[in-house]
Amino acid sequence: MLKDRNSSAIVAVSDLDRARRFYSDTLGLELTAEPQDDLPVLAYRTGGTGLTVYQSEFAGTNKANAVTWDMQGDLVESVQALKAKGVTFERYDLPGMNWRDGWHEAGAVKLAWFKDPDGNILHLIENM
């Protein structure tokens, strides 16, 4: 039933204007739908999928990855570009991972984590 269906991510935020600046301007995502009077939601296109950003009193309470992007050989360049826009990357001391100026390396895999303004954890991954 669901195995042949597309899926997308959804992220709760406390302030839609602040979220729009982050997801549109900082991350450069394409905004495809604006909030309506009765529906406080931003919709973005990201690759072949979508990302929904909605206003919620529970924003920032998720302590795990909220969104993951599959990078295509440009993780390091993307990290550097986001750092230039003021994004701070998380450093995790995990077994088998080496820290490399904003990203981690574990064998043939590169990984990077950062947070949106509400503390939602966003993740980049690249399999070399």
Side-chain angles (χ1 to χ4, degrees), residues 5 10 12 24 34 36 42-43 48 51-52 63 74 79-80 85 88 90 95 98 105 109 115 122 124:
R5 304 287 186 226
I10 186 166
S24 294
E34 298 273 351
Q36 303 300 315
L42 299 166
L51 172 63
T52 301
K63 302 302 179 201
D74 61 349
V79 166
Q80 297 306 321
K85 291 184 173 190
T88 300
E90 301 295 307
N98 297 308
E105 187 173 61
V109 179
K115 294 179 180 177
L122 309 178
L124 309 178

Side-chain angles (χ1 to χ4, degrees), residues 11-126:
V11 176
V13 299
S14 61
D15 182 324
L16 279 179
D17 289 331
R18 181 177 68 179
R20 180 194 326 261
R21 288 189 301 274
F22 181 78
Y23 286 94
S24 294
D25 300 339
T26 303
L27 299 188
L29 301 182
E30 178 187 350
L31 183 64
T32 60
E34 298 273 351
Q36 303 300 315
D37 291 334
D38 59 341
L39 188 61
V41 171
L42 299 166
Y44 289 95
R45 180 179 338 280
T46 172
T49 61
L51 172 63
T52 301
V53 177
Y54 71 103
Q55 191 166 331
S56 170
E57 64 184 275
F58 301 107
T61 60
N62 180 7
K63 302 302 179 201
N65 290 342
V67 181
T68 299
W69 281 273
D70 181 21
M71 306 306 290
Q72 302 295 313
D74 61 349
L75 182 138
V76 173
E77 294 81 3
S78 296
V79 166
Q80 297 306 321
L82 289 170
K83 284 173 68 174
K85 291 184 173 190
V87 173
T88 300
F89 284 82
E90 301 295 307
R91 182 175 182 168
Y92 298 120
D93 292 321
L94 300 170
M97 286 196 187
N98 297 308
W99 175 249
R100 306 273 191 239
D101 191 31
W103 52 280
H104 296 77
E105 187 173 61
V109 179
K110 294 178 183 174
L111 309 110
W113 291 271
F114 59 100
K115 294 179 180 177
D116 77 0
D118 282 291
N120 293 302
I121 300 171
L122 309 178
H123 179 214
L124 309 178
I125 184 168
E126 176 180 298

